[in-house]
Amino acid sequence: FRSNHVYVATLGLAPEVYALEQATGAVTWHTALPSTGSRASIAVAAGRVFVNTDAHELYSLNALTGAVQWSAHTSSGTSSQGSSPAVAFNKVYVGSDDGLYAFDLATGALAWKYPLAAITGFSSPVIVASGTAVPLVLISAADMKVYAVDAGSGAGVWTYTSGCSLADTSLAFADGRVFTRDLAGAVALDVNNGAVLWKSAVGLPTKTPAVAGRVVFYSDGQQVMGLDAATGALTWKAHIPGGTVAGGDMAVALEMLIVPNRGRVYEFK
């Protein structure tokens, strides 16, 4: 599915999902959301827009019209829902207060639920489509654990226990390595079994790692660091202007590392 639109959801008393023309920002359609809206990122696939909301409801909207195609309930908790949907294998995956959920992409029917003992918070599912015995969905939670789950059946494959809550950041994956954190710094795990490949004492990372080529980027809120993805060795670091980072996660595009902070965007090359 190709679209020349940008999709965004809002929070507040009258929250909505908007489809904006990429070239002009003009509103093509907008659809009301329940409760206080959504604080998660939107997933777009197969002509659909998927939105996880604070009402603990996952919505599928027609990407061209904004019409609601289905909605599905996740947990019965009351916490904010920051887990962003991921789409693969004709399923939509999302974390919630009591588990990792997989819904049928076409109908919204529950395919499976992997129970979790703690909330996933802002941790979003990461898909590993190849290179393992079975395709995996990775997610972390407030119980300090990383979970690898069979994407087809929902069966647990392995877990890794960190030394800190993992509900406020997501995992990153590249070249057989799962990147997360502990109290001492950055951690890389083997995607096949969760074994620790390396640890790097760079301070407590506060943002989701970003990966580009042979480098994985971490931030402790004061500086950004580039580590060798294979060994964890520090290759460079730079101070982030504007004080302790208060903003979204890092991203890599056009051979630049993009770091938002306090209403500004900083680029590192």
Side-chain angles (χ1 to χ4, degrees), residues 87-89 93 126-138 151 173 191:
V87 182
F89 315 116
Y93 304 93
V126 174
I127 307 298
V128 180
S130 61
T132 51
V134 294
L136 299 177
V137 185
L138 309 173
F173 168 75
V191 73

Side-chain angles (χ1 to χ4, degrees), residues 34 37 40 50-60 70-86 92-104 108-116 119-121 123 125 139:
F50 300 97
V51 188
N52 189 25
T53 70
D54 271 5
H56 295 236
E57 291 277 341
L58 176 67
Y59 282 80
S60 172
W70 54 258
S71 65
H73 192 66
T74 57
S75 67
S76 58
T78 59
S79 72
S80 300
Q81 300 294 282
S83 184
S84 302
V92 186
Y93 304 93
V94 70
S96 193
D97 286 3
D98 62 356
L100 171 64
Y101 289 76
F103 298 98
D104 183 270
L110 181 65
W112 52 257
K113 172 188 173 183
Y114 181 80
L116 298 175
I119 64 172
T120 57
S123 179
I139 199 163

Side-chain angles (χ1 to χ4, degrees), residues 12-244:
L13 296 178
E16 296 192 276
V17 182
Y18 290 86
L20 310 176
E21 289 188 14
Q22 185 173 328
T24 66
V27 176
T28 300
W29 56 256
H30 55 96
T31 299
L33 287 175
S35 184
T36 57
S38 173
R39 65 191 70 232
S41 297
I42 287 174
V44 181
R48 299 165 183 258
V49 175
F50 300 97
V51 188
N52 189 25
T53 70
D54 271 5
H56 295 236
E57 291 277 341
L58 176 67
Y59 282 80
S60 172
L61 310 180
N62 185 299
L64 297 178
T65 66
V68 176
Q69 297 170 315
W70 54 258
S71 65
H73 192 66
T74 57
S75 67
S76 58
T78 59
S79 72
S80 300
Q81 300 294 282
S83 184
S84 302
V87 182
F89 315 116
N90 294 314
K91 295 181 179 67
V92 186
Y93 304 93
V94 70
S96 193
D97 286 3
D98 62 356
L100 171 64
Y101 289 76
F103 298 98
D104 183 270
L105 183 150
T107 67
L110 181 65
W112 52 257
K113 172 188 173 183
Y114 181 80
L116 298 175
I119 64 172
T120 57
F122 284 88
S123 179
S124 301
V126 174
I127 307 298
V128 180
S130 61
T132 51
V134 294
L136 299 177
V137 185
L138 309 173
I139 199 163
S140 54
D143 60 358
M144 303 186 292
K145 292 182 178 180
V146 176
Y147 296 88
V149 180
D150 186 319
S153 69
V157 177
W158 56 260
T159 62
Y160 165 79
T161 302
S162 175
C164 60
S165 171
L166 299 176
D168 53 350
T169 63
S170 293
L171 307 166
F173 168 75
D175 297 327
R177 303 178 186 93
V178 181
F179 300 101
T180 183
R181 66 177 186 174
D182 63 17
L183 287 173
V187 180
L189 309 174
D190 187 323
V191 73
N192 292 285
N193 53 30
V196 174
L197 296 174
W198 54 256
K199 292 187 176 184
S200 183
V202 293
L204 177 62
T206 59
K207 296 296 178 182
T208 297
V211 187
R214 292 177 290 181
V215 181
V216 56
F217 302 99
Y218 281 85
S219 172
D220 64 359
Q222 301 288 337
Q223 58 187 355
V224 61
M225 295 152 282
L227 308 181
D228 185 298
T231 66
L234 180 68
T235 59
W236 64 267
K237 62 181 179 180
H239 176 71
I240 303 171
T244 302

